[in-house]
Amino acid sequence: MTTILITNRKGGVAKTTSSISIANLLAQKGYKTLLIDLDTQGHIQYGLGIKHSFEYGIHSVLEDENIDVNLIVQKSRVKNLFFVPANINYNSSLLQNKKSLKKTLKKLESKYDMCIIDTAPMSDTVLEMAIIASQYVIVPMKTEYLGFVGTLQFIKIFYKIASKLKTNFQLIGILPTLYSKSLKEHKEI
């Protein structure tokens, strides 16, 4: 299973929208795709058109190894697209084992071709878990000056964390988002 992390420390740059779009495209191409929502706002499920809440989410599994992740994977309305919801408003400071996400994904890797991980806009233990569990990363960037500066700052922090954790992943690229071709600043960025 190929695992791609979608992340940026800045909020409002379309991380969740990008995660859903990329996962949807992969599923439409025939890849059995798993979308994991690590952001405790839980917007992945709403973006997929699912309004009801779930008893367990990914944070439950990361906190308690006795909860079977296979039982909380949900089907979306799109063929080949599955997701693991977040625990909405979960206090992620409770999570301590930085390798728990990688361990959890190991249990799912034979069932899916691709895994897209959406993160919250912060640098914390959950982001470190996602870095350890991922092979690739995409950084969405709002096409404005502060978005550009923030992304450069984030990439420095990101690689500092990644080298500290001794991970071996690759940056696929920076994904320009919220682009308007009529704005000069957006074109320059």
Side-chain angles (χ1 to χ4, degrees):
M1 176 172 71
T2 301
T3 305
I4 303 171
L5 173 61
I6 311 293
T7 190
N8 193 328
R9 188 172 65 164
K10 185 159 178 18
V13 298
K15 285 183 301 300
T16 299
T17 301
S18 298
S19 297
I20 293 169
S21 296
I22 292 167
N24 190 27
L25 286 168
L26 290 167
Q28 287 180 19
K29 292 281 186 189
Y31 294 102
K32 200 164 180 190
T33 304
L34 180 66
L35 181 55
I36 296 182
D37 191 354
L38 285 178
D39 188 341
T40 59
Q41 292 181 63
H43 288 171
I44 289 287
Q45 72 183 58
Y46 300 116
L48 292 172
I50 298 159
K51 295 183 173 57
H52 66 276
S53 59
F54 298 94
E55 183 178 354
Y56 295 106
I58 188 64
H59 301 89
S60 306
V61 174
L62 297 176
E63 185 179 356
D64 183 355
E65 289 183 15
N66 295 319
I67 299 171
D68 183 359
V69 68
N70 290 287
L71 300 177
I72 65 167
V73 173
Q74 307 294 321
K75 279 184 95 169
S76 77
R77 295 178 183 146
V78 177
K79 183 181 177 186
N80 293 322
L81 181 56
F82 302 82
F83 73 100
V84 178
N87 290 71
I88 297 174
N89 297 322
Y90 179 83
N91 179 358
S92 44
S93 67
L94 299 171
L95 301 174
Q96 301 301 317
N97 183 352
K98 293 178 184 171
K99 293 188 178 181
S100 61
L101 180 60
K102 186 171 186 156
K103 226 169 128 179
T104 298
L105 293 181
K106 206 85 165 130
K107 297 172 186 173
L108 298 167
E109 70 182 356
S110 64
K111 296 179 182 179
Y112 303 94
D113 303 309
M114 305 295 289
C115 176
I116 304 297
I117 301 173
D118 182 41
T119 63
M122 60 182 68
S123 301
D124 63 358
T125 302
V126 178
L127 177 61
E128 290 183 17
M129 286 179 181
I131 291 170
I132 290 168
S134 301
Q135 297 159 309
Y136 300 96
V137 63
I138 295 173
V139 181
M141 179 193 76
K142 195 171 178 181
T143 51
E144 60 185 21
Y145 180 71
L146 292 177
F148 176 70
V149 171
T151 298
L152 291 179
Q153 291 171 342
F154 173 70
I155 288 175
K156 287 178 186 175
I157 292 166
F158 188 82
Y159 275 102
K160 187 176 181 180
I161 293 169
S163 60
K164 179 183 88 173
L165 297 172
K166 296 182 171 93
T167 61
N168 189 22
F169 65 87
Q170 296 177 0
L171 173 68
I172 291 175
I174 296 171
L175 176 64
T177 61
L178 306 164
Y179 173 76
S180 173
K181 66 180 178 179
S182 64
L183 295 174
K184 182 181 175 189
E185 178 186 28
H186 286 205
K187 288 179 186 177
E188 290 172 359
I189 297 297

